[in-house]
Amino acid sequence: MSAAALVLDRIDKVYNPEGARPVHAVRAMSLELAPGEIGALLGSSGCGKTSTLRMIAGFEAVTGGAIALTGRAIHAEPPARRNVAMAFEGYSLYPPLSVRDNIAFALKSRRLDPAEAARRIAEIAELLEIDDLLGRRPSSLSGGQQQRAGLARALVRDADLYLLDEPMGQLEPRLRAVLRGRLKHYIKTRGLTVILVTHDQTEANALADRIAVMEDGALQQFASPATLRDRPANRFVGAFIGEPPMNLLPAEARADGAGIGFVLPGGARLAYGPGEMASQVREAALACGAVIVGVRPHAIRLSGTGLPARVAANQWIGDQSHVAVSFADRAVVVVEHERVTARSGDAVGLSIDAGDLHVFDAGNGAAVSHGEVLA
Amino acid sequence: MDHQSTLERVVRGVLIALVLLFFMFPIVWILMMSFQTNEQILRIPPSLAFEPTLENYQALITGRLETQAGTLDIRFMSNLWNSLVLSVCSVALALVLGVPAAYAFARFRFRLGEDIAFTLLSFRFAPPLLVLLPLTLYFQELGLADTYIGLIWVYQLICLPLILWIVRGYFEDVSPDIEHAYRTAGHGWLTTFRRISIPLTAPGIAAAGLLAFIFAWNNFIFALVLASADKQPVTVGALAFVTASGIQYGQIAAAIVLSITPTLALALYAQRYLVEGLSLGAVKG
């Protein structure tokens, strides 16, 4: 890999540090982004993702740590000298200017040839479907239109890094899906380095090369969407990524001859013979003792045999069935692609392959194994 | 709004007429008085019919007041000039100091920030007479008594808190991200303040400036105590019309007409500008 475009080196943010209640918004966040890579900061509200973005842009000072962009330290520079472009969650268009002038504003300091500037504005406006709105003022636009104008203003620039804060939050679902594809194509053909902030997994999965999952100000895992899904680093990431979320069951791992048994609440037992579970996984789980067993809703199969459970709810959502069953004193969600006819109260059997199990340490939540491999 | 009954429309018309009459009557009466001689004003019973005379205005402009007791020099025109100088300079200084300060109070949290802002506001609570006595002594010591500079300085007690607190509210209404967007585009703090923050709050700044101007123009007590005859504004100068041979109502009326004209003109001009500014730049989301 070539030299990183953006390096966050253990950055910290504490709001109101001397006040009565300091808020530690970002904790020792480290992250490297390659040139031309799209990174997403994903997390629930208040997890520190926007604070991180604002520190990179320079609107918030870092409390500790360093930020480097294309090799130069920028965390002490004013925003004007960082050469980053940003699309704001609140759009932040200049009210007295038309949409065209708003976008052109971003180009003015570059002393671009007017014809070239007009061409670029037309191009980005067409891409984001705002070409018929260029003459209007921001106050006469809807939220979604303003958001696209704000996005255009950021993307039209030549910057070392593009920061997109919830870039599509206000768009209707159909347009969002269309623009996602176009946006990714635009970014990739130009080799732009982008960080986007979102709480929408679909958006992060669709746009980003790698996703940084954040919780409580700390980075949980920074990896590709596939890795996040298949090998979540801890139980938080496991439960956070995926829709519907991963089922997590507390369990006691016990040796069962040459096999292993996971004793679940209520006495149910997930048992695997010697040939069913990889031996290194078995040993690691036994070494832990108290574990949390995670299994994705898609990986559970409903059948007449298997572990006994009772159907609590059954929803057909158009292309798949979401079945909630009571199992091991928990509500466990199962997704089947065929329509399931079971009704509430019916007895069903669950079967779960050892290869679909994610085992987490119950103590610190760190992953122990994913299927047949150790974490 | 078209679905009102005739009754509603009539009642509304009558109420508006009453309000207009209530507020406009004194001004119209003063305007009429300014074209009458003292005898015409004081006759019993009063009459609406009179022969207009420009005598009062003539006396004010030439500075010679003819009374039964003899000729009196009045300095109305120089008082008017003093009012203008004092008000314009005070408001200008208050804007130069107050607008950046308001921006700082709106955007940054700093130690004692709120306390400083409140202290500035508290200047408006203090009874002016209480402040004036020590101030007079200090000013005489410093050589600031009876100077334009000294008066303009004292007038900041009126103008600065007003501008600071009104403009601060307008700055707080502008999303900081609009400034951030401009700053990431490669502009410094000062350029952003000049090119983005000020234009977006211009209607508010104009409103605050206008209000401060009116307060400064109408101030009486500071100038009465701190200024001698050649620095007096019209508010104090009007005392000269209470002469040994009676109160010169005609001249007072003419003086009032002349002294409210600049404020009125400014208010009308600024009002048009305010409406324009608000409809163009309504800051949204």
Side-chain angles (χ1 to χ4, degrees):
Chain A
M1 194 157 58
S2 56
L6 175 75
V7 180
L8 305 185
D9 183 17
R10 298 188 61 78
I11 57 170
D12 265 290
K13 180 68 197 176
V14 181
Y15 290 105
N16 198 11
E18 281 151 40
R21 274 185 297 176
V23 178
H24 207 153
V26 177
R27 298 163 193 271
M29 168 105 174
S30 293
L31 186 149
E32 287 196 10
L33 206 63
E37 190 175 15
I38 306 177
L41 302 180
L42 181 65
S44 42
S45 299
C47 71
K49 52 194 195 301
T50 294
S51 290
T52 306
L53 204 68
R54 297 176 82 84
M55 282 191 280
I56 300 171
F59 311 142
E60 300 285 354
V62 295
T63 312
I67 302 173
L69 183 60
T70 59
R72 61 200 166 95
I74 58 163
H75 55 274
E77 297 271 333
R81 293 220 209 104
R82 297 190 179 200
N83 199 22
V84 298
M86 180 156 176
F88 293 84
E89 188 180 6
Y91 332 130
S92 302
L93 302 168
Y94 315 122
L97 300 183
S98 69
V99 171
R100 184 194 313 280
D101 289 341
N102 261 288
I103 300 172
F105 227 98
L107 291 172
K108 273 203 181 121
S109 49
R110 291 279 178 280
R111 288 202 187 77
L112 223 58
D113 171 41
E116 167 66 7
R119 190 192 63 73
R120 285 170 67 165
I121 292 168
E123 181 190 30
I124 193 82
E126 194 184 343
L127 182 94
L128 296 170
E129 296 191 8
I130 50 171
D131 35 353
D132 52 341
L133 305 174
L134 285 175
R136 309 232 321 241
R137 283 181 195 278
S139 54
S140 70
L141 303 183
S142 74
Q145 291 167 332
Q146 290 192 53
Q147 186 158 47
R148 280 177 281 153
L151 196 53
R153 183 177 64 182
L155 289 174
V156 81
R157 282 184 48 198
D158 294 312
D160 291 332
L161 179 67
Y162 297 78
L163 305 170
L164 314 179
D165 194 356
E166 302 279 3
M168 299 194 191
Q170 291 294 322
L171 305 186
E172 49 176 287
R174 188 200 63 82
L175 190 60
R176 199 183 301 188
V178 173
L179 290 192
R180 223 181 258 145
R182 279 193 216 165
L183 192 61
K184 182 151 190 177
H185 180 75
Y186 181 91
I187 292 171
K188 283 297 173 192
T189 48
R190 284 163 183 74
L192 311 182
T193 311
V194 174
I195 287 195
L196 83 138
V197 158
T198 180
H199 57 251
D200 178 359
Q201 289 188 37
T202 323
E203 193 164 298
N205 280 326
L207 284 172
D209 299 312
R210 281 194 291 168
I211 300 172
V213 179
M214 291 182 75
E215 170 65 9
D216 195 25
L219 178 65
Q220 305 292 322
Q221 190 172 10
F222 183 43
S224 71
T227 308
L228 287 181
R229 196 183 60 242
D230 298 335
R231 307 190 57 180
N234 55 39
R235 59 179 284 199
F236 176 81
V237 177
F240 189 78
I241 299 291
E243 178 56 41
M246 180 187 274
N247 296 299
L248 293 173
L249 302 167
E252 183 72 36
R254 290 204 190 137
D256 188 359
I260 187 171
F262 293 98
V263 182
L264 303 170
R269 192 179 171 91
L270 271 174
Y272 298 99
E276 287 181 282
M277 181 171 262
S279 61
Q280 72 272 24
V281 172
R282 174 178 176 272
E283 272 152 41
L286 286 175
C288 251
V291 295
I292 289 169
V293 172
V295 56
R296 299 237 175 247
H298 300 87
I300 306 178
R301 288 186 317 280
L302 293 178
S303 58
T305 59
L307 297 159
R310 201 160 283 283
V311 175
N314 181 2
Q315 278 182 299
W316 173 249
I317 58 162
D319 56 354
Q320 45 185 247
S321 286
H322 285 194
V323 185
V325 300
S326 350
F327 174 69
D329 295 348
R330 297 277 189 288
V332 168
V333 177
V334 180
V335 171
E336 290 276 351
H337 290 285
E338 302 302 321
R339 190 158 193 162
V340 175
T341 51
R343 293 167 156 270
S344 180
D346 288 357
V348 289
L350 308 181
S351 44
I352 303 167
D353 284 343
D356 290 324
L357 278 192
H358 299 269
V359 180
F360 302 101
D361 188 327
N364 57 18
V368 173
S369 69
H370 305 289
E372 295 183 351
V373 292
L374 290 179
Chain B
M1 294 300 274
D2 292 321
H3 46 78
Q4 333 177 305
S5 66
T6 324
L7 180 72
E8 249 178 298
R9 235 171 295 161
V10 169
V11 170
R12 178 190 290 249
V14 168
L15 287 177
I16 290 176
L18 278 176
V19 169
L20 267 181
L21 198 67
F22 182 80
F23 284 105
M24 293 307 290
F25 178 75
I27 293 177
V28 173
W29 193 251
I30 284 167
L31 194 66
M32 279 164 50
M33 273 168 66
S34 72
F35 292 106
Q36 299 175 46
T37 60
N38 236 13
E39 294 74 48
Q40 287 171 318
I41 295 166
L42 294 174
R43 77 195 141 176
I44 306 278
S47 158
L48 279 176
F50 63 92
E51 197 144 315
T53 169
L54 287 174
E55 208 175 85
N56 298 319
Y57 289 99
Q58 209 173 359
L60 290 177
I61 292 165
T62 56
R64 295 182 63 79
L65 184 56
E66 311 281 349
T67 66
Q68 285 127 348
T71 308
L72 210 68
D73 276 344
I74 48 166
R75 338 182 54 150
F76 179 78
M77 290 318 278
S78 91
N79 289 338
L80 198 61
W81 173 247
N82 288 339
S83 271
L84 202 67
V85 169
L86 290 174
S87 304
V88 168
C89 293
S90 303
V91 172
L93 181 64
L95 284 173
V96 167
L97 296 175
V99 171
Y103 182 78
F105 284 125
R107 281 285 179 269
F108 306 112
R109 298 273 156 265
F110 45 89
R111 197 180 292 270
L112 294 182
E114 282 310 311
D115 300 298
I116 295 169
F118 188 78
T119 305
L120 284 165
L121 184 67
S122 72
F123 292 166
R124 302 286 306 152
F125 312 155
L129 275 173
L130 211 66
V131 185
L132 267 171
L133 190 67
L135 208 59
T136 314
L137 297 175
Y138 282 130
F139 268 36
Q140 274 162 357
E141 194 87 354
L142 292 166
L144 284 171
D146 197 24
T147 59
Y148 282 134
I149 291 174
L151 278 171
I152 288 166
W153 193 352
V154 176
Y155 272 33
Q156 295 309 309
L157 289 175
I158 307 166
C159 299
L160 198 55
L162 212 61
I163 284 175
L164 190 81
W165 277 82
I166 295 177
V167 175
R168 177 187 181 175
Y170 278 85
F171 278 132
E172 280 169 353
D173 283 347
V174 174
S175 157
D177 278 347
I178 294 183
E179 292 162 15
H180 289 153
Y182 196 69
R183 293 186 67 188
T184 49
H187 301 276
W189 177 87
L190 198 62
T191 331
T192 311
F193 179 65
R194 238 181 45 233
R195 304 277 301 276
I196 300 293
S197 317
I198 298 265
L200 286 182
T201 50
I205 294 173
L210 179 66
L211 218 56
F213 183 86
I214 292 170
F215 273 70
W217 186 273
N218 289 341
N219 181 265
F220 174 75
I221 194 79
F222 286 139
L224 176 71
V225 177
L226 290 172
S228 67
D230 61 332
K231 299 288 188 310
Q232 275 171 357
V234 279
T235 43
V236 180
L239 287 177
F241 297 113
V242 184
T243 64
S245 60
I247 300 170
Q248 305 299 317
Y249 290 107
Q251 277 91 3
I252 290 180
I256 291 173
V257 170
L258 285 181
S259 63
I260 62 173
T261 309
T263 334
L264 202 64
L266 191 66
L268 287 175
Y269 167 76
Q271 183 192 33
R272 200 180 52 192
Y273 173 72
L274 286 181
V275 173
E276 201 176 68
L278 287 174
S279 61
L280 277 186
V283 179
K284 206 174 121 183

